[in-house]
Amino acid sequence: QVQLVESGGGSVQAGGSLRLSCAASRVINRNYYMGWFRQVPGKEREGLAAMDIYGTTTYADSVKGRFTISQDNAKNTLYLQMNSLEPDDTGMYYCAAAQITGRIGAAWWLSPVTYPYWGQGTQVTVSS
């Protein structure tokens, strides 16, 4: 089991940037698929970016080219660099982990059902 703690959320104007961090309680490199998700009230949790155990990344179309997922293996920390933020990016952001060996279909990388471990979330608010 792994515990995840997000930080770095806040309020920013449209066009600004934020970097979210997700500190893991154990080694995640080559052991866990990691993902970032966003949820707004009344909507389903949306997968934004994910990284597999080989370091391959994938992004939702809505954030492709603006968000970057990365990992610091020495710190067991996952990051989400968010640039060119838009008001529609407002929401609660969660990181998630799944201990999966080998490869899974790409369609599962951004699906919340793939991930059993979740952080508590960090709020991002983007004003116009």
Side-chain angles (χ1 to χ4, degrees):
Q1 188 170 350
V2 59
Q3 282 77 49
L4 305 170
V5 179
E6 301 97 333
S7 61
S11 297
V12 64
Q13 289 192 325
S17 298
L18 284 173
R19 188 178 78 157
L20 305 183
S21 299
C22 173
S25 63
R26 58 191 307 170
V27 173
I28 54 177
N29 181 40
R30 294 197 172 273
N31 290 301
Y32 290 86
Y33 279 66
M34 303 295 296
W36 284 101
F37 293 78
R38 176 172 67 209
Q39 190 161 27
V40 297
K43 292 189 177 181
E44 294 185 355
R45 195 165 292 191
E46 174 190 12
L48 303 176
M51 178 181 291
D52 74 358
I53 60 174
Y54 305 102
T56 306
T57 59
T58 192
Y59 298 90
D61 288 343
S62 60
V63 304
K64 199 173 295 182
R66 300 189 298 123
F67 291 11
T68 303
I69 187 172
S70 63
Q71 189 168 294
D72 185 331
N73 297 325
K75 296 181 179 179
N76 295 328
T77 299
L78 184 75
Y79 300 101
L80 185 68
Q81 177 66 44
M82 306 187 294
N83 299 328
S84 302
L85 284 162
E86 304 166 352
D88 284 349
D89 293 319
T90 294
M92 186 69 78
Y93 283 67
Y94 299 89
C95 72
Q99 191 170 21
I100 299 172
T101 57
R103 299 189 184 274
I104 61 174
W108 292 103
W109 291 29
L110 295 179
S111 172
V113 301
T114 298
Y115 299 85
Y117 305 114
W118 294 84
Q120 83 289 348
T122 186
Q123 177 69 34
V124 172
T125 302
V126 184
S127 58
S128 57

